[in-house]
Amino acid sequence: MSEITTIRPHNPASAFDIPRPPGLTWYVQSQQPVGYEVSLTRGLLNPVNPVLARAVGADGRIGVRALIVVDQAVEELYGPGLHSYFDAWKVDAVWKVMPGDEETKNLEQVVEVTRAMTEMGILRRTERVVVVGGGVLMDVVGMAASLYRRGAPYVRVPTTLVGQVDAGVGVKTGVNHGTHKNRLGTYFAPESTLIDPEFLRTVDDRHIANGLAEIIKMALIKDAALFRILEENVELITSQTLADCGSAAGEIVSRAIAGMLDELEPNLWEGVLERSVDYGHTFSPSLELLADPPLLHGEAVAVDMAVCLALAVGRGHLAEAEAHRALNLIAGCGLPLTHPVFTPRLLEVGLADAVKHRDGQQRLPLTDGIGSCVFVNDVTPSELARALAFVQAHADGPAR
Ligand SMILES: NC(=O)c1ccc[n+]([C@@H]2O[C@H](COP(=O)([O-])OP(=O)(O)OC[C@H]3O[C@@H](n4cnc5c(N)ncnc54)[C@H](O)[C@@H]3O)[C@@H](O)[C@H]2O)c1
Ligand SMILES: [Zn+2]
């Protein structure tokens, strides 16, 4: 056996000049390309639409098996449609119905999915798991797929607005653990994500607003045109108009998805911690943890974005009039701007926690004018207090 003696430097970028220990060091480097499709399609459950069938490898002639993990609420509403679709395409669907609420987003649910995979005896590469549901189920099933035999193919069919513009389109999976949101998780791309706005028809107003928060985020940090479309159509955005996917609604959803993918693609594993998509996600985790009754994720993001708009005004990154426009849009979508537990002290605690998450720096994304983003690292407690006061004055003041 020949001895390999080529030793590549183990850590060439090391700041410390520590002598290499005696012996041999092998440095292994590998790259894995990641590719997946995100498709916006109408009539996903119409038996003449082949998109979902293709995603599970069915051609309508030879039977194939798939594990369909479906959100309980979605099963009640769309179960018959899903069943007839799979029957039409000769998909031998093994069903697993699961709850899709935040309280059930835990490791036990992940294990439950892997148990269903074992019981089915799912083939490792050719049989897929299909997850149909909201953001919670996307995260739970994605994590199960990433762990099962260290990675099994899966397909996402998101059925909420958050799922369709955010949780369903990236590569992050995860569950809540201890008192922390999304503390355990993985990066694991689906084979494809299939988005049909028709599912939004049955989503309630509060959950539509929840998803709009993430869309407003995209508008504020990178898409001024999307901001204008939202502003002009704010009163028309409902579960029905989104499901009908007319010109404005279609543009809103597709621009939000495109913007999200554009931001995620060069940084799928979050090697770069300055992420503009973290806008509105600095103080919100602390608020989500403390609010009682609980806030939905997008509601906490909205309150966070309001403070960030005011911070940007304070730093000269945003004209005051622009901030009022953005605050009006957030409120116009039925989202909160303030919350009783959102105090200057909580903002400080939230920022300190974000600093840990962002490896020692604030890396706080702010709007640099509507539609563009700047990162700051030196926000002070007094700025935070002034920003809160600005938002409160807007909320208490006359309509602008
Ligand atoms: N992985 C990511 O990148 C990422 C991004 C954003 C959000 N998330 C996660 O997503 C979760 C929030 O997602 P969500 O807002 O979709 O919540 P959710 O999954 O809890 O769904 C909300 C509610 O809607 C129901 N539902 C689902 N589809 C429906 C439909 N078509 N009609 C009627 N009811 C329906 C569900 O049963 C649930 O009760 C959070 O846990 C968040 O952390 C993850
Ligand atoms: Zn979010």
Side-chain angles (χ1 to χ4, degrees):
M1 193 176 78
S2 67
E3 192 186 348
I4 301 168
T5 52
T6 313
I7 307 167
R8 277 168 283 161
H10 184 61
N11 187 2
S14 171
F16 309 104
D17 200 10
I18 300 169
R20 190 182 297 286
L24 292 171
T25 303
W26 284 266
Y27 179 63
V28 179
Q29 193 170 30
S30 175
Q31 281 174 353
Q32 190 180 14
V34 170
Y36 62 101
E37 270 184 2
V38 177
S39 309
L40 191 58
T41 179
R42 307 296 312 282
L44 190 69
L45 302 187
N46 184 335
V48 299
N49 185 337
V51 171
L52 178 54
R54 274 202 204 117
V56 297
D59 63 3
R61 281 170 291 160
I62 301 161
V64 295
R65 296 196 315 158
L67 176 64
I68 316 297
V69 185
V70 57
D71 179 300
Q72 207 161 353
V74 176
E75 151 79 5
E76 278 159 29
L77 293 160
Y78 302 95
L82 280 160
H83 280 281
S84 355
Y85 181 88
F86 287 126
D87 287 349
W89 285 91
K90 288 199 169 39
V91 177
D92 181 4
V94 177
W95 291 89
K96 175 82 190 158
V97 180
M98 296 185 74
D101 290 307
E102 196 65 37
E103 307 80 68
T104 60
K105 189 175 157 178
N106 55 41
L107 210 46
E108 287 72 37
Q109 294 296 99
V110 172
V111 173
E112 183 77 21
V113 177
T114 62
R115 196 172 292 130
M117 294 167 83
T118 301
E119 278 167 13
M120 170 183 167
I122 195 165
L123 292 181
R124 188 170 174 186
R125 300 258 194 268
T126 49
E127 292 180 338
R128 275 77 169 193
V129 180
V130 181
V131 49
V132 190
V136 165
L137 221 54
M138 295 294 120
D139 277 357
V140 166
V141 177
M143 186 162 168
S146 73
L147 296 177
Y148 192 80
R149 297 189 198 273
R150 302 187 180 84
Y154 75 114
V155 173
R156 286 172 169 167
V157 181
T159 58
T160 60
L161 191 53
V162 168
Q164 299 196 343
V165 300
D166 197 342
V169 302
V171 301
K172 288 206 271 188
T173 81
V175 292
N176 304 330
H177 189 63
T179 53
H180 301 280
K181 253 196 73 86
N182 298 327
R183 186 45 61 96
L184 302 179
T186 58
Y187 298 96
F188 191 60
E191 283 191 332
S192 54
T193 291
L194 311 177
I195 296 169
D196 182 355
E198 185 57 41
F199 285 113
L200 301 178
R201 203 171 291 285
T202 48
V203 172
D204 64 40
D205 292 348
R206 191 174 173 199
H207 281 93
I208 292 292
N210 188 34
L212 286 174
E214 300 285 3
I215 297 180
I216 294 171
K217 172 188 83 176
M218 293 312 301
L220 288 174
I221 53 146
K222 74 172 283 147
D223 192 344
L226 176 58
F227 183 87
R228 276 192 300 278
I229 301 168
L230 285 166
E231 219 180 17
E232 284 160 15
N233 293 279
V234 63
E235 272 152 31
L236 305 174
I237 308 171
T238 63
S239 53
Q240 304 310 309
T241 55
L242 286 165
D244 290 341
C245 205
S247 58
E251 178 109 18
I252 287 167
V253 172
S254 59
R255 284 191 93 97
I257 294 170
M260 179 63 90
L261 292 175
D262 197 43
E263 287 301 306
L264 295 182
E265 189 183 34
N267 192 24
L268 274 187
W269 291 274
E270 302 182 354
V272 178
L273 293 173
E274 262 134 18
R275 292 174 9 108
S276 55
V277 288
D278 278 348
Y279 186 71
H281 292 66
T282 302
F283 313 103
S284 56
S286 306
L287 178 56
E288 270 185 273
L289 216 59
L290 288 179
D292 186 18
L295 284 180
L296 295 179
H297 174 71
E299 293 168 341
V301 168
V303 177
D304 181 318
M305 289 195 295
V307 164
C308 288
L309 288 164
L311 284 171
V313 171
R315 293 196 155 219
H317 288 302
L318 188 68
E320 216 170 289
E322 299 287 80
H324 290 303
R325 270 177 77 195
L327 291 169
N328 284 340
L329 176 62
I330 296 171
C333 288
L335 290 160
L337 296 175
T338 59
H339 190 280
V341 308
F342 219 47
T343 58
R345 178 74 197 127
L346 182 79
L347 290 180
E348 279 178 57
V349 172
L351 188 55
D353 210 42
V355 164
K356 285 184 214 138
H357 191 60
R358 297 175 188 162
D359 200 37
Q361 291 191 53
Q362 292 181 353
R363 305 178 208 267
L364 176 69
L366 295 178
T367 41
D368 194 16
I370 286 174
S372 113
C373 181
V374 62
F375 292 90
V376 300
N377 281 305
D378 53 356
V379 167
T380 62
S382 56
E383 265 182 285
L384 294 174
R386 279 199 301 278
L388 264 189
F390 181 97
V391 179
Q392 196 62 58
H394 174 99
D396 294 342
R400 278 174 242 248

